[in-house]
Amino acid sequence: VSDSYDIYQACEKYWGEELKEKIEKRDGVLVVRPDSGELPGIVIEVLEKLALNFKTTDTPTGHKLLPPHIRVIQGDGIDINSLEVILEEMKKNGWAADNLAFGSGGALLQKLHRDTQKCAFKCSYALVGGQARDVVKDPITDPGKKSKKGRLTLELTGDGEWATVTEGKGDETKDELVEVFRDGKILIDHDFKTIRARSNGEKHAATPLPKELSVGMPGDPLNNIVMLTDSYKVTHHLQYPPGTTKVYSYFECRGGKYPEVCFFGLQYFLKKYLVGQVVTKEKIDAAEAYFKIHFSHPVWGYNEKLFNRGAWEYILEEHGGKLPVEIKAVPEGTVLPYKNVLFTLENTDPKCFWLTNYLETLLVQLWYPTTVCTQSREQKRIITRFLRATGGDGVVDQGLHLFKLHDFGFRGVSSVESAATGGAGHLVNFMGTDT
């Protein structure tokens, strides 16, 4: 960090004169970091100051490039908008994009929310009294919140476009959604190399696990699936129509800032929260004790019907504490247009119809790693475009562009888990991180 006192003197005198010989002879790269100043001007000023003493060369497009032993990283005030503004200003002033790398903290991992990509989980199909019912939400005050109807398939059309087919009219043999979880068992384990390849547009089929994967956090007192939901959902079992035996719901990005979505993060939530025996008597007891306090009224007291203890005991006794649900999802790392189904969830035991939407709260948190991954991918596209426009084809061809956006976001997020899942989403697209 070169602005602790005087960034201009550091560039001209310290780096450019007193330490210049050592910089040129050392086996490595000195990366100068201005950590304050107005953008984009400070970046141009630093480049110009360094160029006074370090001889530049021209790229094939005629843009100036500092010698390979010195570069600049801008880590202050970087988001997807300022990043593009800086690169555009550099190009306009005759500087190659390869002179600069970026660091991003809160804007990379924190300045996002569920509506950045309008992520939503909705019921679209149910069985009630043996009769199939397509379910749809279509608010007159917001057409953008209209949900999809019926059972869904995600298919590739003849011209290679993604399409979600609704109302049970799809061809299941063409469905790109893959069964990844069933009755407490994870069936697919996507490795990170394959996820990255998919994010770059490569086609890789999901490979079933040769044996059951046993993971999870059995000793974590905060990992109680009985309590990992909105409290109002605890009472929903009382509101379903009599005779309901199946509830089928789906997750999608129904719009948002970026037209293409890079799906990422479901596997983490499956492994941590859903795999194996996740229901125990101790967890049921703990949940009931909490809900008795949470739902207690100062006048009328507690209604014993609110918490569905018997249903959780049924899962424990009949399913060994494993959740009787099936999840089908697009392979992680897949890039597809928003407004397509990304995963579906349904119960596999007719007595556990209520469980599908009980899990909504937890699984909708998938919005976060998916949105980080999606935005990070967009920033990679911007950086790649400017590198190629200013003579940096070789940088891209050698894969060095993957080090052009560094994750500084750990201290800027709200939890260690956010840092882990968001940081992993960024690493689908880049190789540089401090998180």
Side-chain angles (χ1 to χ4, degrees), residues 153-207:
T153 57
L154 177 66
E155 303 179 21
L156 284 168
T157 64
D159 56 2
E161 298 294 323
W162 293 95
T164 297
V165 184
T166 62
E167 300 180 58
K169 297 177 180 178
D171 183 345
E172 291 193 4
T173 65
K174 297 179 180 178
D175 194 2
E176 294 290 328
L177 298 176
V178 179
E179 188 179 34
V180 296
F181 182 90
R182 187 179 183 90
D183 299 337
K185 298 179 182 179
I186 191 165
L187 307 176
I188 302 291
D189 191 21
H190 303 285
D191 64 83
F192 210 65
K193 180 180 179 180
T194 303
I195 292 172
R196 278 177 166 161
R198 290 193 189 112
S199 76
N200 288 322
E202 298 179 23
K203 182 74 172 177
H204 289 268
T207 305

Side-chain angles (χ1 to χ4, degrees), residues 5-23:
Y5 173 60
D6 186 337
I7 181 69
Y8 307 113
Q9 182 167 304
C11 291
E12 286 188 64
K13 185 174 178 60
Y14 302 148
W15 311 133
E17 295 177 6
E18 295 179 7
L19 298 173
K20 180 181 178 183
E21 186 176 353
K22 288 185 176 181
I23 293 170

